[in-house]
Amino acid sequence: MIKKWWNDKVAYQIYPKSFCDTNGDGIGDLRGVISKLDYLKDLGVDIVWLSPCYKSPLADQGYDISDYYDIDPRFGTMEDMDELIAEAKKRDMYILMDLVVNHCSDEHEWFKKACEDPDGKYGKYFYLRDKKEGELPTNWRSYFGGPVWEDLPGTNKQYLHVFHKKQPDLNWENQEVREEVYKNINWWLDKGLGGFRIDAIINIKKALPLHDYEPDREDGLSSIHKMLEEATGIGEFLSEMRDRTFKKYDAFSVGEVFNEKPEEIPDFIGENGYFSSMFDFNETICGGSDKGWYDCRKITPDEYKKCCFETQAKIGDQGMVSNIIENHDEPRGVSRYLPDGECTEAGKKMLGGLNFMLRGLPFIYQGQEIGMENVEFQSIEQVDDISTLDEYKVALEAGLSPEEALKSVGRFSRDNARTPMQWTDGANAGFTSGKPWLEVNSNYTRINAEAQMKDPDSVWNFYKKLIALRKDPEYKETVVYGALKPVWEDVHNLMAYYRKGDRTLLVVGNYQKGPQSIELSHGYKKVLLNNYHELSENGNKLILQGYQFLVLEV
Ligand code: GLC
Ligand code: CA
């Protein structure tokens, strides 16, 4: 594998709306991000991915862009953005923007012009079809519910949106659209960005001609996945984008890629892959259901382990995957992957450690470093996320009571991760001096950054140690590039693996409340990390406490 500048980095995702508000309007802003760069540097972060802060109606919280060349006034100004890039650079840090180009906003001027003249230049920027009474062009269900077709205002046509109706899909088959996208990427890279996280990118290639698929629910619609499975040729778009943009700048790119086939790994993230890296979503998909979130279930520790190892085996040394336990689309990892009632400090550190030490690039989502947890929603009124609102409806339609529906979909709500960052135990968790746009999680007096930074045993300080280990000149080569070899794979509630490079490390997590022993076939040289103060041993036997996590040099 050819080594790249970003291989040994640690990345951190910021959801700007909920990170830090500096002007009291209840909405996080870029000046807030600038004010926290030293915090991130102190933790050891190198790469900062910002969820979208472009001009947007915020129908999907910025994933609906109305101007790719401007910053939304709620987040700040272009001067703030330039300052952020410059301040990051001073600290040897890199800023990634979110590239949202499967769709734009229905308030983008391209879309407005398409409405004015659907047969003209801009009509061809979108997927438009003639409207037929009582019949839709295709029977696909949008990710956020309902059909993917909506009337194109003022015309006798309909447009395609695989996400929300305020997110019309761009027609990537049109070379002019692609040119616009490349121009914009390069414009941002010229400003000094480190690169991009690439949103929803597998959706850009549609199976043509557009047609119906077997319905999979009572609504008579079909999930988009069937169409995506059938679509071929996305590689042509993605390699063109790479060659015209990222490659010329040696920029970092990480794709939001689902459903890739094992044989496609080199195409996506190999030496000349479309992207530098892509996220592993194997764990997030596990436990899912075609019926909707209400029917999804919590995965077990053994399943979690299996998912991680499957991905590791699939990728091997062909490239670098990006590892997460959560992001702005997922519930909090500690609430999701630790058994109910066992979301303890030890468990949080273990989960963080097991994930962080996998081969690949670690991404920390804001608040993960302090062990932020899911929200206990009392009412659907507390929910803002369009996806949760739709899933709630689906659950009610399936016959669940409002209480059951809230409980079942609340666990998976994207708002679990979108509540304001908990900085202090003061008003609004120190996020804003005004009224936060989304309620602060009531546990902020117990879980906040200020307290944890002072406490040597905190989750925050444990993350700091994990990061320091990845950067330690003695172990770096092994932690970054070393092969991963699972061990004791069949042992229930135990996740363990070797990392083998110029050193050999053994990473072990006792993924349960009760103790568990393991028998080493060899001694060990050194304990590099331990989430407990002690380690009980008996000869070659290690007696692990509940959720004990160790990194040993062997
Ligand atoms: C991605 C984003 C998600 C957004 C969707 C549509 O999955 O991560 O937040 O809603 O794309 O842009
Ligand atoms: Ca603000």
Side-chain angles (χ1 to χ4, degrees), residues 130-136 151 158:
D130 290 333
K131 183 176 175 167
K132 293 194 193 119
E133 244 358 280
E135 194 187 320
L136 293 170
D151 292 353
Q158 296 188 305

Side-chain angles (χ1 to χ4, degrees), residues 5-6 9-12 45-49 94 96 252 361:
W5 65 263
W6 48 267
K9 302 289 184 263
V10 171
Y12 186 98
V45 169
D46 310 286
I47 296 177
V48 178
W49 151 30
Y94 303 82
L96 308 182
F252 173 74
L361 189 63

Side-chain angles (χ1 to χ4, degrees), residues 85-100:
I85 295 171
E87 287 298 320
K89 201 159 269 169
K90 274 189 206 160
R91 294 166 175 81
D92 288 321
M93 293 164 84
Y94 303 82
I95 301 292
L96 308 182
M97 293 273 276
D98 211 310
L99 186 72
V100 188

Side-chain angles (χ1 to χ4, degrees), residues 284-344:
T284 62
I285 293 165
C286 184
S289 161
D290 288 345
K291 294 187 192 159
W293 290 0
Y294 74 88
D295 193 47
C296 295
R297 62 177 179 81
K298 187 158 180 152
I299 71 171
T300 65
D302 289 343
E303 285 173 319
Y304 181 81
K305 162 172 73 179
K306 188 163 163 272
C307 288
C308 293
F309 288 167
E310 253 171 32
T311 297
Q312 290 287 322
K314 188 166 85 173
I315 308 276
D317 62 358
Q318 300 182 90
M320 279 238 173
V321 74
S322 287
N323 296 310
I324 57 163
I325 63 165
E326 64 201 39
N327 65 23
H328 67 294
D329 292 330
E330 304 293 337
R332 289 290 180 177
V334 294
S335 301
R336 182 181 201 166
Y337 301 122
L338 294 173
D340 288 340
E342 295 177 28
C343 194
T344 59

Side-chain angles (χ1 to χ4, degrees), residues 417-469:
R418 297 178 179 186
T419 59
M421 173 68 187
Q422 293 165 205
W423 295 107
T424 70
D425 65 0
N428 301 315
F431 161 72
T432 178
S433 59
K435 184 177 181 315
W437 73 277
L438 188 68
E439 254 174 64
V440 172
N441 192 320
S442 59
N443 64 17
Y444 70 93
T445 47
R446 180 168 57 89
I447 302 173
N448 64 75
E450 191 178 56
Q452 294 203 14
M453 288 170 77
K454 286 186 213 143
D455 171 6
D457 285 333
S458 66
V459 176
W460 190 87
N461 269 300
F462 193 76
Y463 269 92
K464 193 168 170 165
K465 286 182 206 156
L466 280 167
I467 296 175
L469 178 60

Side-chain angles (χ1 to χ4, degrees), residues 478-528:
T478 306
V479 176
V480 176
Y481 298 105
L484 182 142
K485 238 184 112 256
V487 55
W488 301 303
E489 231 180 313
D490 298 329
V491 177
H492 178 50
N493 288 353
L494 182 86
M495 179 163 164
Y497 50 88
Y498 287 108
R499 295 297 314 277
K500 297 191 169 184
D502 55 2
R503 310 281 178 112
T504 299
L505 307 181
L506 175 61
V507 180
V508 189
N510 176 25
Y511 211 140
Q512 63 180 16
K513 202 156 117 191
Q516 166 158 225
S517 300
I518 50 170
E519 182 92 37
L520 297 181
S521 56
H522 45 64
Y524 65 87
K525 291 185 188 144
K526 215 169 158 183
V527 180
L528 300 179

